Each structure stands twice: as C-alpha cells, then as structure tokens.
Amino acid sequence: MRISQIWAVPISLSLLLTSCATPVSVDVNAGPFNVAISSSSLSLPTELRDNSTSPASIYSVPCGAALPACPSSGSVTVTCNGSSVCDPDPIAVSIPAGDVIDLDALSGGLSNSVPSIDAIEVRSATVVVNTNTLTIPLSSMELYWGTESDTEANLDRHFGTIPGLAAASTSLGDVALDANGVSELSDYLVGTSHRIRVFVRTSVDLSPGGPFPDGALDMTATFKVTARGHVGNSL
C-alpha cells in the first residue's frame, strides 16, 4: 500500500500539468504577390531576329570554320552548336515574388495568437496567370525561399514547383510543394524570423528556327500558412 500511495501523487500531478497546455493554430494567407516575366530579360541579339515569319523566329545562322563568330548580347551567350548553327545558351530567369513576406504583419502578431509556436507550415501555394503574351513556352518554375536581405534565389532553399506553361497559355496545374523544403522553411520561421522572401526561378532554352521571345507574363502567387503551437505549460 505504501508503494501505491507514493506513486499516485506524481502521476496525478503530471496529468494536471499536461492538461494546462491548450493547442492553438492560426491560418494566414500570404499574397497575392505579383510575378512578372518579360521578353526583355531574354534579349537576344537583333541579328538573330527573323521577321519574315509570324511570330518572329530565330535565324539559323551558320557558324564555324572561316565563318564570322556568332552574334552575342550582354545578357545572352550564343555559341556554335554541333550542327554548326548559332544557338543561344539556356537562360536562367530569377525573379522575386512580391516584396518581403511578414507573417507578423499579416496575422496581427503571430506570437500574440500563438504564444508558444511549435511549427509554421506552408500548406499550399496557388498561382494564377493573369495575362500571358509570351511567344515562347516556359519550363517548370521553381519556388525558393530566402531571408529578407536576399536578392537572388538560394538553390539550397527549394520548396515548390510551378508546372510549365505553353506559349500564350493561361492554364496552370497545381503547385507541388517540396516536403523537405517546407520543413526547412518551417524551422527557419519558428527559430529565426517571421520575415522571408520568395523567388521564382526557371530556365529558357531557345532554339534556332524557334520563336523569337516576345511578350510578357503576369501572374500572382498566394500561400496558405498555418502556425501551430500551444497556450500554457506543456510537459
């Protein structure tokens, strides 16, 4: 009997203290944030523009041996490919999605609503194409998160993928979130800062004989974020 009485007190006390912690969560909509891609960022040398087609196409300019070097521009490298034709190298495009995302400002102060935060998770990402007059298709677009001082995408901080987009199309599928990237972002939001930036990055590979890049793409991105934690003591 004495042994039973000794253990009864701490067991009851543990149950009482554990029950003092109340789970809480707060949902935050971040966005919409504007994402714009213009053909001006894909500026090919004008010597490669063939206006005899509609839309304009990229000249297949012979190169190699005693022929003149391929034309080039400040932002795009053009090299002589294995078929002895001037071929633009793939172009990396990286742009921010809006400005700094401040979860405290969006929620009225996360710490006020969730005093003890256990996790801050991006649950979904939605992208809507408003207008698209690009004459070229876009391959899948990758989402990266960064600190508020970052100016370029950090390729170690990938957290989602936007499906590719056909030329002039406004139809997109669902954004696929990267589970590992979302977890790493959550750790940063919980342990370091509630302020981040988001970057969109894609690669454009233009080919001789293909469409010359013209037009622009305008789309908006929205993120649904949930902060989970508790109020009170938890053992």
Side-chain angles (χ1 to χ4, degrees), residues 35-234:
V35 179
I37 298 177
S38 171
S39 59
S40 61
S41 62
L42 311 171
S43 53
L44 294 181
T46 55
E47 297 94 328
L48 293 181
R49 185 183 184 97
D50 182 359
N51 289 319
S52 68
T53 63
S54 182
S57 58
I58 300 173
Y59 273 123
S60 295
V61 178
C63 57
L67 294 173
C70 292
S72 62
S73 67
S75 57
V76 179
T77 302
V78 182
T79 56
C80 193
N81 65 20
S83 300
S84 297
V85 176
C86 292
D87 190 354
D89 288 353
I91 306 165
V93 179
S94 180
I95 49 177
D99 206 338
V100 173
I101 299 175
D102 187 336
L103 296 182
D104 285 322
L106 293 171
S107 65
L110 279 181
S111 298
N112 295 331
S113 304
V114 188
S116 296
I117 299 176
D118 301 319
I120 302 175
E121 180 184 11
V122 177
R123 294 187 295 110
S124 66
T126 304
V127 176
V128 176
V129 178
N130 301 314
T131 59
N132 181 15
T133 59
L134 286 174
T135 56
I136 58 171
L138 292 178
S139 59
S140 59
M141 293 163 273
E142 306 302 328
L143 293 172
Y144 298 88
W145 65 271
T147 69
E148 64 175 305
S149 61
D150 285 346
T151 57
E152 291 288 338
N154 183 328
L155 302 189
D156 292 328
R157 293 172 174 169
H158 177 263
F159 78 97
T161 301
I162 302 171
L165 192 63
S169 173
T170 57
S171 177
L172 271 180
D174 295 333
V175 176
L177 293 179
D178 178 336
N180 289 333
V182 168
S183 177
E184 291 174 359
L185 173 55
S186 176
D187 290 344
Y188 178 85
L189 290 171
V190 172
T192 304
S193 175
H194 295 166
R195 292 167 59 87
I196 61 168
R197 288 181 182 271
V198 171
F199 297 89
V200 178
R201 182 181 171 90
T202 190
S203 179
V204 177
D205 193 1
L206 303 172
S207 302
F212 195 93
D214 280 317
L217 167 69
D218 179 78
M219 56 187 184
T220 50
T222 302
F223 306 96
K224 292 187 180 296
V225 182
T226 296
R228 297 185 179 88
H230 58 274
V231 177
N233 296 321
S234 178

